[in-house]
Every structure is written in structure tokens, then in C-alpha cells.
Amino acid sequence: MGALFFPSYLIGLREGLEMVLVVSVLVAYLVKTGRRQHLVPVWAGVGAAVVISVGFGAVLSYVSSTVLGGPGQELFDAITSVVAVALVTWMIFWMRRTARQLSGQLRGRLDDAVGLGLGAVVGIAFASVVREGLETTLLFFASAQGAVSATPLVGLAAGLASAVVLGVLLYAGAVRINLSTFFTVSGVLLVFVAAGIFKYGIHDFQEAGVLPGLTTYAYDASSWLQPGSWWGAVLDGVFHISAQPSVLEVVAYLAYLVPVLVLFLVPGRAARPTPTPAKTTETVDAHA
């Protein structure tokens, strides 16, 4: 269960918290500036973004499972996996670069939208949330491909619920966490998830006949790395180490994981300024 639950939970928690923080910034700013009449348009935009994201997931699932079949389905799944990996890679680097300025940017856009009318307020809330929602949907679809149980969906729902609870507690001031540390740690874990998705995408390309070497295995650890064991679940769920991958899968996994992990961690450590007390206790600038 862990092999299917953990990646989906991480996706729900990380992406969900980003969405919750965006909404909390918008709501808190309107409340503080005495413009509560614009809260309904904000929530309307958030609701529309959620509906679009869920609909996008339904379309992906329908096309993969119903419209396509055989090599066509494998090819579709492979392509969505590669797109999801590209998207999550861009997202984790973008968040690392802009996290500290995000609330200020959102407040500025919201000020502009209020001046243009209610439709613009709906639009800014929709645009701010729908990107995260579509990322979540695509990443979850790519991560959960091939699952025959509801475990990935349960993991995603649990992650989103955890994000909502954490976001509410942050908004209320009941808890304080260092968001820079959170997004760094979750970013590292997402790099492993993305590497696994890329690996599975290569496997789908092989099954579709686009790439060779489906039965040319890098190693065979099936005698001890059993999928039903707890250690097998941990290795597969966290690090995507399977019992019998092809050579091309392993090459693709390492070719993505090593350089992306280095680029994500090393420049950030080298360029990070000496932290001040305000920065080291940073939570979320929702009430500013």
C-alpha cells in the first residue's frame, strides 16, 4: 500500500499547501483592507479552478482507459508522464525562486483586479489556483498509472486534507513552520517522485514499442525485493526502486535524478544569504 499511497500523499500535501497558501493570502488581504464584498468572487474563482482541475483528471482517465487501448494507451501514458515530469521540475525550481515574493505579487495582482471589477477578481483567484490544480491532476495521473486499487486516490485525498488543515492552522496562527524548509524538503522528495514517473514513462514507451530493451534487465532483485513486503513498499514508494527494471529505465532514472537533485540543492545552498531571525521563522505572509 505504501508504494501507492506515499507518492500520492506527497503530491496532495505539497500541491495542496501551495493552493491553500495562495487562497489564504487573497482572503486575508481582502479582510485586512476592508473589502469583504470581494470574498465571494474569490471563492467563486477558486471553485471554478477546482471544477476545471477535476474535469481535466476525468478527461485524462477517460482517454487513457476508454478511448485508447494497447500500444496507444501505453504511448499516451508515456507522453503524459514526460509532460508531468517537465511540469513538476519547472514548478519546484520556480517555487524555490519566488516563494518569498509570492504573497506580495498576489496582493498587487488582486489590487489591480479589484479596480477592474468583480469579474477580474474571479479571474485572478481562478488563475492563481487553476495552475496548481492542473499540475496536481497531471502529476497524480502520471504517478498513479497502472494502479488497480483506490489507494493512490486515498493518498491524494489525505494529502489535500492535510494541506487544508495545515493551511487553516497557519492562517489562524495556531502553528508556525518554516515554509522555506518545507518546500525544500518536499521539493527533494518530489524530485524522487518525478524520477520514478520518468522511469515509468520510459517503461511505457518500451511497452508501446517506441523504445527498445523492454526485457533487457539491469538487475533482478525479485528474490528478496518483494512488492508485498514493507521494505519493498518503502523502496518503491519513496525511491522507485523496483525488483526488475530494464537497463533503459535505470539509466533514465539516474540521468534525471542526479543532475536535477544537484541543481536543486547546490545553487540554493551557495546563494542563500545568512538567515535573519525574521527569515528563519518565516511562515506565510498571509496577514501582511
Side-chain angles (χ1 to χ4, degrees):
M1 178 177 178
L4 299 175
F5 182 88
F6 178 77
S8 299
Y9 179 82
L10 176 62
I11 291 169
L13 177 63
R14 163 77 186 225
E15 298 290 321
L17 187 57
E18 288 185 21
M19 287 185 277
V20 169
L21 292 179
V22 166
V23 174
S24 69
V25 168
L26 297 176
V27 170
Y29 188 56
L30 289 177
V31 170
K32 182 177 180 179
T33 55
R35 293 179 283 191
R36 291 177 179 268
Q37 69 273 19
H38 294 295
L39 289 176
V40 172
V42 164
W43 287 114
V46 171
V50 171
V51 170
I52 292 296
S53 301
V54 173
F56 179 56
V59 169
L60 287 176
S61 180
Y62 177 77
V63 170
S64 177
S65 61
T66 304
V67 176
L68 301 174
Q73 179 181 358
E74 300 295 343
L75 185 59
F76 177 80
D77 291 347
I79 292 172
T80 55
S81 294
V82 172
V83 172
V85 169
L87 193 61
V88 72
T89 304
W90 172 83
M91 179 268 294
I92 60 177
F93 282 97
W94 176 84
M95 178 57 70
R96 188 188 65 174
R97 185 177 65 252
T98 63
R100 294 186 183 277
Q101 293 79 37
L102 184 60
S103 62
Q105 293 174 358
L106 286 171
R107 292 196 302 270
R109 293 172 188 169
L110 186 58
D111 277 333
D112 294 338
V114 168
L116 295 174
L118 295 181
V121 176
V122 173
I124 191 65
F126 174 81
S128 299
V129 175
V130 75
R131 179 180 62 84
E132 305 291 346
L134 294 178
E135 284 179 3
T136 303
T137 300
L138 183 59
L139 189 56
F140 171 72
F141 175 80
S143 176
Q145 286 175 11
V148 294
S149 69
T151 300
L153 189 59
V154 172
L156 179 69
L160 290 173
S162 299
V164 170
V165 171
L166 185 57
V168 170
L169 292 175
L170 284 169
Y171 182 86
V175 298
R176 294 179 65 84
I177 63 172
N178 189 314
L179 291 179
S180 296
T181 300
F182 171 82
F183 284 120
T184 298
V185 174
S186 62
V188 169
L189 294 176
L190 275 181
V191 170
F192 279 96
V193 171
I197 292 175
F198 188 48
K199 171 188 169 186
Y200 296 145
I202 295 300
H203 180 80
D204 286 334
F205 274 125
Q206 290 178 312
E207 288 194 334
V210 175
L211 294 175
L214 179 61
T215 58
T216 305
Y217 301 121
Y219 57 83
D220 185 357
S222 55
S223 60
W224 63 271
L225 188 56
Q226 301 171 1
S229 63
W230 67 266
W231 60 86
V234 169
L235 289 175
D236 193 11
V238 179
F239 302 107
H240 297 280
I241 298 176
S242 53
Q244 199 178 46
S246 69
V247 171
L248 197 54
E249 286 179 70
V250 173
V251 170
Y253 179 82
L254 294 176
Y256 173 87
L257 178 67
V258 174
V260 172
L261 207 53
V262 170
L263 288 173
F264 181 70
L265 292 175
V266 174
R269 292 177 61 89
R272 188 177 299 131
T274 301
T276 64
K279 290 182 179 180
T280 55
T281 58
E282 176 190 9
T283 54
V284 56
D285 193 16
H287 299 278

